[in-house]
């Protein structure tokens, strides 16, 4: 019969339509909307009914690897001084595909030798293509990709070139948004430190041994 | 006795089949890292015809030009046009090329042998200034008529020109921040040809286009003497596919000629690519076909890895991750294509949103692995950027084994038997298999016409030879078949995914370190993958430097549009939009 295909199709849309109500009934007593649990359920493989997320009242949780604009990581020592992890080596500026990173390297006023901490660091967030290369290739884990994606402002000329002050965030913040990455990096660092300490200890022991041996020799001669 | 020891002679290169066949006209390309033959310009047409008819290389995959330019007077100075051909029955490539002087670049056109060369030759004319003699409609295709020069030539500089290659010098160690528009304000950022007055500009492009429309529609026999009308569809979203325009010449309601007009989104992707370093190009490939960025990454990574050789062979786990990502991309792309084809048919947004729902779940997976939903930038030379995050494999498994099959079945039930879909699709926009091959159509468009050609099977790359899957094929070549083949392909992709998920091993995801500067030896390579829209190829030439000398994208959406006129002629105006939708184009890739 002509029209059966259309009826089947209408049946599918009707099922979808009815499901929006049955889902809401099944969630009576629990919050399907404006709650974390509800958003998670709507993103699961069994999601039925209303699928959309009412941004900005509800937001999708971002996964750890999510990347947006880069930020600079600094550490605070016991005396409260900030230390940039950045050494202004320039790899991020060199690898940046749209070339939106500008770094001003510090020079020691007396010796004129470069100091491993940048005077200033600029990122033009209008040009940044969020590729994540700067974070990926930074050998010092000093630049990382942020999760904050709400960057709109009223004046792009005044506000969209971020300087070092605006880019810097504490290492605790980094650990909070990317815990798995952070622990992995710290483990690698700790292993390297241990290796270094071991090597240093071995070297010291060897040096002591040779010193002793040569000392013994000298004494003998 | 020593003088009697036989001197080991270098084994004389036996003449290749082509050299034997065309003595004098063809010589081997001796440059290190290059393959194929150099054909005499005067003999090109003859040789090409013989290669097509006698050797069976009937599928012209890519035509592109390369500029070898050096400022030194004794340096090499020529333009090369490179042809990549395949057999539609499968197998490796046949490459031949012609070399012409830069100031007088004239090459015989191959459009009469391979109609699929049409747009590609126009592109080479537009960007390189190679004149194709005998081309029926040699106009600019991506740029506008008043454009000064041919921008892909190595001595051409754009208005915002900063430096020849990245990284630019003023970024570090004394970063000098400036906005380009402050230094070079709007209005002063264009350069015109010599003697060009923008105020007195008369558009010459459109009249020429209408002329060519008239020429192409002359053989239409008029039964009743009526006036033919030209209707412009677009350039604003004729079918929500992007900024694209079709000039349609009609006789009553019947189409007698059609010219696609594109380039509204042109950003000279290839020029950007040649200025970038090898690594920097990866995120730019995401922006080609922005619905299937993982496949674009795949193609580019393959091309560069081919050139680097064994050193960049990805480890097992990376290969599996690549295949999983590429197939998920194919599914999400086909869902989108089906949804928006139905939009073009007039079923406004209900099917599209049902399809997008599933696509969202796939994008969630991309976001968790690659960090971004659409601009994934996930592949690296020799592997992938990072390992799969914890808990993602079960999630993919749930999708692949449970949700997607269920939902695709539902979509099938919803649409495939629908009488409206069938009557609007069956017998509309028919492409014969001969035409599909001749016009270099690829992917679902080619397979829906009854040509079982799939790069994954015909010329296997990565680890596709390990999986069992069918090369889907449909026989009628109409809009309905091009819709159905996408449903079929989703099922095949799901099958590949199930196998890959079962076999994926533990282990490394990168071959060696992931350096920020890649050494690529001198030479050329052509890496192609079966993208969701068709054969996606990257042709790259390296001179051993940090930046590619040539970076060309064989964009399936762009080349599939060549056949659009053929599909539409003789049909009604209402079918044009459906025909366009059934090709499934993305303007980011068409315009590049």
């Amino acid at each position: 019969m002509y029209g059966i295909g259309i009826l089947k199709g209408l049946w599918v849309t009707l099922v979808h339509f009815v499901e929006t109500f049955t889902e809401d009934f099944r969630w009576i007593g629990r919050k399907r909307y404006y709650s974390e649990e509800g958003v998670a359920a709507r993103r699961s493989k069994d999601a039925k009914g209303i699928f959309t997320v009412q941004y900005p009242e509800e937001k999708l949780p971002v996964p750890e690897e999510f990347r947006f604009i880069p930020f600079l990581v600094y550490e605070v020592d016991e005396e409260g001084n900030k230390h940039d992890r950045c050494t202004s080596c320039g790899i991020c500026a060199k690898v940046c595909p749209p070339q939106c990173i500008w770094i001003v390297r510090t020079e020691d006023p007396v010796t004129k030798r470069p100091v491993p901490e940048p005077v200033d660091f600029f990122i033009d967030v209008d040009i940044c293509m969020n590729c994540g290369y700067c974070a990926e290739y930074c050998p010092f884990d000093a630049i990382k990709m942020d999760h904050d994606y709400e960057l709109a402002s009223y004046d792009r000329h005044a506000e969209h070139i971020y300087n070092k002050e605006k880019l810097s965030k504490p290492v605790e913040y980094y650990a909070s948004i990317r815990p798995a990455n952070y622990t992995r990096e710290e483990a690698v660092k700790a292993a390297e430190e241990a290796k270094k300490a071991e090597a240093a200890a071995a070297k010291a022991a060897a040096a002591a041994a040779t010193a002793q041996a040569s000392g013994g020799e000298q004494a003998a001669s | 006795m020593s003088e009697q020891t036989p001197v080991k002679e270098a084994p004389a290169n036996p003449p290749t089949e082509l050299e034997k066949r065309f003595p004098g006209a063809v010589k081997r390309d001796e440059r290190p890292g290059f393959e194929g033959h150099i054909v005499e310009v005067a003999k090109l047409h003859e040789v090409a015809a013989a290669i097509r008819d006698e050797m069976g290389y009937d599928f012209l995959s890519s035509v592109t030009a390369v500029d070898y330019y050096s400022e030194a007077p004794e340096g090499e100075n020529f333009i090369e046009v490179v042809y990549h051909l395949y057999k539609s029955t499968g197998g490796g490539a046949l490459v031949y090329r012609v070399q012409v002087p830069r100031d007088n670049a004239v090459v015989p056109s191959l459009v009469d042998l391979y109609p699929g060369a049409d747009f590609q030759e126009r592109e080479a004319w537009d960007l390189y200034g190679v004149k194709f003699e005998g081309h029926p409609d040699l106009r600019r295709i991506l740029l506008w008529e008043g454009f000064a020069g041919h921008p892909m030539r190595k001595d051409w500089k754009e208005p915002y020109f900063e430096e020849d290659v990245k990284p630019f010098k003023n970024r570090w160690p004394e970063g000098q921040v400036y906005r380009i528009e402050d230094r070079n304000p709007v209005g002063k950022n264009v350069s015109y040809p010599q003697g060009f007055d923008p105020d007195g500009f008369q558009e010459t492009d459109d009249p020429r286009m209408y002329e060519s429309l008239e020429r192409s529609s002359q053989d239409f026999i008029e039964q009743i003497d009526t006036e033919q009308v030209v209707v412009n569809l677009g350039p604003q979203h004729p079918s929500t596919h992007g900024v694209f325009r079709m000039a349609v010449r009609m006789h009553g309601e019947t189409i007698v000629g059609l010219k696609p007009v594109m380039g509204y989104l042109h950003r000279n992707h290839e020029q950007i690519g040649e200025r970038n370093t090898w690594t920097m190009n990866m995120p730019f490939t995401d922006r080609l076909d922005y619905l299937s960025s993982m496949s674009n990454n795949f193609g580019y990574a393959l091309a560069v890895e081919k050139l680097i050789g064994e050193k960049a062979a990805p480890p097992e786990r990376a290969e599996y991750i690549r295949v999983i990502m590429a197939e998920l991309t194919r599914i999400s792309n086909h869902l989108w294509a089906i949804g928006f084809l139905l939009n073009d048919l007039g079923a406004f947004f209900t099917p599209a949103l049902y399809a997008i729902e599933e696509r969202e779940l796939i994008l969630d997976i991309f976001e968790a692995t690659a960090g971004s939903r659409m601009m994934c930038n996930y592949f690296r030379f020799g592997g992938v950027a990072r390992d799969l995050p914890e808990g993602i494999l079960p999630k993919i498994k749930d999708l692949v084994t449970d949700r997607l099959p269920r939902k695709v079945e539902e979509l099938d039930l919803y649409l495939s038997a629908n009488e409206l879909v069938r009557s609007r699709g069956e017998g509309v926009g028919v492409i014969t298999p001969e035409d599909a091959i001749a016009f270099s159509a690829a992917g679902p468009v080619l397979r829906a016409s009854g040509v079982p050609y799939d790069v994954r099977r015909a010329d296997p790359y990565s680890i596709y030879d390990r999986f069992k899957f069918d090369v889907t094929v449909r026989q009628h070549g109409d809009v309905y078949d091009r819709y159905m083949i996408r449903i079929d392909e989703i099922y095949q992709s799901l099958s590949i995914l199930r196998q890959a998920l079962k076999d994926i091993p533990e282990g490394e995801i990168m071959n060696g370190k992931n350096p920020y500067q890649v050494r690529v030896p001198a030479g050329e390579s052509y890496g192609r993958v079966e993208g969701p829209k068709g054969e996606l190829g990257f042709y790259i030439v390296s001179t051993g430097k940090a930046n590619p000398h040539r970076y060309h994208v064989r964009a399936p959406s762009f080349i599939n549009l060549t056949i659009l006129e053929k599909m539409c002629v003789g049909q009604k105006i209402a079918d044009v939009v459906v025909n366009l939708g059934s090709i499934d184009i993305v303007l980011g890739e068409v315009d590049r």
Side-chain angles (χ1 to χ4, degrees):
Chain A
M1 194 184 84
Y2 194 80
I4 283 190
I6 293 178
L7 290 177
K8 274 185 192 161
L10 286 175
W11 173 250
V12 171
T13 49
L14 183 72
V15 168
H16 270 254
F17 176 68
V18 172
E19 270 174 358
T20 58
F21 296 102
T22 53
E23 275 305 288
D24 283 354
F25 281 124
R26 279 182 42 200
W27 277 73
I28 284 177
R30 289 176 297 163
K31 281 188 92 176
R32 183 159 199 263
Y33 305 98
Y34 312 113
S35 75
E36 265 177 42
E37 184 200 8
V39 171
R42 272 177 282 158
R43 312 300 294 174
S44 75
K45 73 173 174 68
D46 299 314
K48 277 182 195 167
I50 289 177
F51 196 73
T52 42
V53 172
Q54 299 296 326
Y55 182 84
E57 286 81 17
E58 1 175 51
K59 286 174 189 169
L60 287 181
V62 287
E64 177 169 348
E65 287 300 343
F66 175 73
R67 55 184 145 82
F68 211 64
I69 296 292
F71 68 95
L72 291 173
V73 182
Y74 68 80
E75 288 172 36
V76 182
D77 64 13
E78 283 124 29
E79 285 145 36
N81 298 323
K82 285 183 189 175
H83 292 286
D84 291 325
R85 278 187 176 180
C86 176
T87 63
S88 61
C89 69
I91 285 181
C92 52
K94 283 181 215 158
V95 81
C96 175
Q99 296 281 289
C100 69
I101 301 179
W102 288 266
I103 307 170
V104 189
R105 199 162 61 178
T106 318
E107 258 181 20
D108 192 303
V110 186
T111 56
K112 298 278 174 218
R113 302 258 299 274
V115 174
E117 212 163 279
V119 175
D120 219 333
F121 197 106
F122 301 98
I123 292 179
D124 188 337
V125 295
D126 286 341
I127 298 177
C128 176
M129 67 200 286
N130 317 344
C131 69
Y133 271 173
C134 48
E136 190 175 328
Y137 293 109
C138 177
F140 304 101
D141 293 320
I143 187 163
K144 292 290 168 192
M145 302 305 281
D146 208 343
H147 280 182
D148 179 19
Y149 49 84
E150 290 162 329
L151 304 177
S153 71
Y154 284 103
D155 184 359
R156 84 186 171 92
H157 280 265
E159 289 164 25
H160 279 191
I161 294 184
Y162 286 17
N163 60 8
K164 193 173 113 181
E165 199 193 330
K166 202 164 177 189
L167 285 168
S168 291
K169 288 186 178 172
V171 68
E172 289 77 28
Y173 173 74
Y174 170 54
S176 72
I177 62 166
R178 292 178 189 268
N181 275 311
Y182 179 73
T183 27
R184 190 166 58 230
E185 280 158 16
E186 289 304 307
V188 169
K189 251 182 238 170
E192 259 169 31
E193 290 282 307
K195 221 177 181 182
K196 237 184 231 169
E198 210 172 87
K203 212 175 172 188
T210 50
Q212 223 171 26
S214 63
E217 253 166 55
Q218 265 171 5
S221 64
Chain B
M1 296 308 261
S2 63
E3 58 263 45
Q4 277 184 3
T5 36
V7 181
K8 241 194 187 165
E9 268 179 56
N13 280 340
T16 56
E17 198 185 342
L18 272 184
E19 279 176 307
K20 270 187 264 173
R21 178 75 183 62
F22 309 102
V26 168
K27 68 177 198 291
R28 207 167 329 169
D29 199 335
E30 303 282 3
R31 291 171 292 178
F34 284 73
E35 55 167 338
H37 295 80
I38 301 171
V39 182
E40 286 286 315
V41 180
K43 300 269 178 63
L44 172 68
H45 201 276
E46 190 189 320
V47 171
I51 285 174
R52 186 190 70 162
D53 298 334
E54 289 162 32
M55 294 169 69
Y57 284 91
D58 50 357
F59 187 81
L60 177 71
S61 172
S62 151
V63 182
T64 190
V66 189
D67 186 10
Y68 291 94
Y69 169 72
S70 66
E71 273 163 13
E74 70 279 356
E76 46 183 19
N77 257 316
F78 56 87
I79 282 187
E80 189 175 272
V81 181
V82 190
Y83 300 84
H84 283 85
L85 295 105
Y86 291 89
K87 289 178 182 167
S88 58
T89 48
L94 180 91
V95 187
Y96 57 81
R97 57 193 90 226
V98 292
Q99 292 173 343
V100 286
R102 293 180 88 242
D103 47 359
N104 182 30
V106 185
V107 174
S109 167
L110 296 188
V111 173
D112 53 338
L113 293 173
Y114 298 101
D118 185 349
F119 285 8
Q120 307 191 57
E121 285 184 355
R122 274 176 72 188
E123 188 194 338
W125 155 247
D126 193 355
L127 302 180
Y128 276 95
V130 182
K131 262 210 172 76
F132 288 92
E133 237 169 20
H135 191 289
D137 186 22
L138 195 66
R139 290 176 294 118
R140 282 188 183 274
I141 189 164
L142 296 173
L143 297 163
W144 60 300
E145 197 58 17
F147 192 86
H150 301 284
M152 287 299 290
R153 289 206 174 195
K154 289 282 175 191
D155 50 351
W156 189 90
K157 305 269 187 280
E158 79 272 19
Y160 283 139
F161 179 74
E162 196 165 343
E163 259 175 73
D164 259 330
V165 290
K166 288 175 186 172
F168 298 145
K169 290 193 184 66
N170 67 9
R171 301 299 196 268
W172 177 87
E174 285 147 14
Q176 297 146 24
V177 189
Y178 58 83
R179 285 182 184 278
I180 200 85
E181 60 262 44
D182 295 340
R183 224 173 54 158
N184 197 347
V186 177
K188 298 208 164 116
N189 59 356
V190 279
S191 65
Y192 299 106
Q194 262 188 340
F196 182 88
D197 173 23
D199 296 326
F201 175 62
Q202 292 277 320
E203 194 153 8
T204 54
D205 197 29
D206 277 6
R208 280 186 64 200
M209 182 182 67
Y210 296 137
E211 262 171 46
S212 77
L213 249 184
E214 206 166 339
R215 270 204 305 280
S216 72
S217 48
Q218 251 167 9
D219 44 351
F220 184 79
I221 308 151
E222 296 195 12
Q223 286 100 3
I224 315 165
D225 192 27
T226 49
E227 200 184 339
Q228 297 193 352
V229 215
V230 175
V231 172
N232 276 298
L233 288 122
Q236 279 82 25
H237 287 226
S239 57
T240 68
H241 286 281
V243 193
F244 179 72
R245 171 178 158 209
M246 289 176 284
V248 186
R249 195 176 172 84
M250 295 189 308
H251 177 269
E253 239 189 297
T254 312
I255 291 154
V256 292
L258 182 147
K259 291 277 168 196
V261 184
M262 54 195 90
Y264 298 95
L265 198 63
H266 181 60
R267 53 218 188 266
N268 218 345
H269 179 88
E270 294 178 6
Q271 167 91 333
I272 297 172
E274 285 168 24
R275 195 154 287 172
N276 283 343
T277 62
W278 294 99
T279 323
M280 284 179 193
N281 271 338
M282 193 60 84
F284 277 95
T285 61
D286 294 337
R287 273 96 178 148
L288 284 169
D289 173 358
Y290 39 77
L291 298 178
S292 45
S293 58
M294 289 280 194
S295 298
N296 302 343
N297 282 188
F298 205 165
Y300 180 57
L302 272 187
V304 177
E305 278 161 12
K306 223 166 153 184
L307 206 48
I308 302 177
E310 271 305 301
K311 267 193 299 180
E316 279 286 287
R317 184 175 172 83
E319 293 275 27
Y320 274 92
I321 296 178
R322 283 178 172 199
V323 167
I324 290 172
M325 292 302 153
E327 293 309 317
L328 283 175
T329 305
R330 193 184 314 280
I331 295 172
S332 79
N333 178 81
H334 283 349
L335 285 169
W336 185 275
I338 291 169
F340 280 85
L341 173 66
L342 266 291
N343 246 16
D344 295 346
L345 276 167
F348 205 62
F349 268 113
T350 306
L353 285 172
Y354 287 178
I356 291 169
E357 224 178 276
E358 311 316 310
R359 178 173 174 270
E360 282 297 304
L361 294 174
I362 295 175
L363 294 193
D364 280 349
I365 289 166
F366 290 165
E367 192 180 24
T369 42
S372 193
R373 301 178 81 79
M374 286 172 82
M375 303 296 132
C376 296
N377 184 22
Y378 185 54
F379 289 38
R380 298 288 177 272
F381 312 130
V384 290
R386 55 187 74 84
D387 207 343
L388 295 171
E390 231 166 89
I392 202 77
L393 274 178
K395 227 176 171 179
I396 303 177
K397 215 169 257 172
D398 278 348
L399 261 191
V400 166
T401 53
D402 179 15
R403 171 134 186 146
L404 285 174
R406 190 152 45 89
K407 287 291 173 175
V408 176
E409 226 158 79
E410 189 190 85
L411 203 67
D412 199 15
L413 174 75
Y414 178 30
L415 301 171
S416 300
N418 189 309
E419 280 81 3
L420 297 177
V421 176
R422 293 185 60 173
S423 59
R424 286 297 304 277
E426 282 175 344
V428 174
V430 176
I431 306 174
T432 63
E434 293 79 19
D435 276 344
I437 295 170
F439 277 84
S440 304
V445 179
L446 183 66
R447 287 191 289 275
S449 292
V451 185
Y453 189 82
D454 187 322
V455 182
R456 291 175 291 175
R457 197 38 76 64
D459 188 11
Y461 55 94
S462 188
I463 50 166
Y464 275 108
D465 46 358
R466 295 185 198 170
F467 300 114
K468 276 191 199 137
F469 66 98
D470 295 337
V471 174
T472 53
V473 66
R474 292 258 163 182
Q475 301 300 334
H476 303 104
D478 53 10
V479 169
Y480 185 74
D481 272 9
R482 282 193 285 281
Y483 153 75
M484 279 309 288
I485 199 131
R486 294 200 163 94
I487 298 240
D488 296 347
E489 274 186 28
I490 293 178
Y491 284 125
Q492 295 308 322
S493 288
L494 286 172
S495 147
I496 294 176
L497 276 168
R498 275 194 293 269
Q499 297 169 48
L501 286 171
K502 204 177 76 199
D503 297 344
I504 181 169
E506 289 295 321
E508 291 289 308
I509 45 120
M510 269 300 288
N511 182 347
K513 278 220 172 81
N514 180 8
Y516 80 96
Q517 267 172 333
V518 193
R519 284 239 152 271
V520 180
E524 61 159 14
S525 90
Y526 183 63
R528 53 178 199 152
V529 293
E530 183 67 38
K533 304 217 159 47
E535 179 186 328
L536 173 72
F538 285 85
Y539 175 70
I540 53 172
V541 176
S542 166
T543 49
K545 290 192 188 132
N547 310 74
H549 180 78
R550 180 77 177 102
Y551 163 79
H552 171 69
V553 187
R554 185 238 188 254
S557 305
F558 175 66
I559 293 165
N560 283 353
L561 277 177
T562 321
I563 205 168
L564 184 65
E565 180 171 21
K566 184 103 187 165
M567 274 161 75
C568 293
V569 168
Q571 312 233 312
K572 298 277 191 288
I573 180 82
D575 294 327
V576 171
V577 172
V578 186
N579 281 339
L580 179 69
S582 75
I583 298 182
D584 181 22
I585 57 167
V586 158
L587 267 294
E589 189 176 66
V590 174
D591 293 343
R592 275 159 298 146

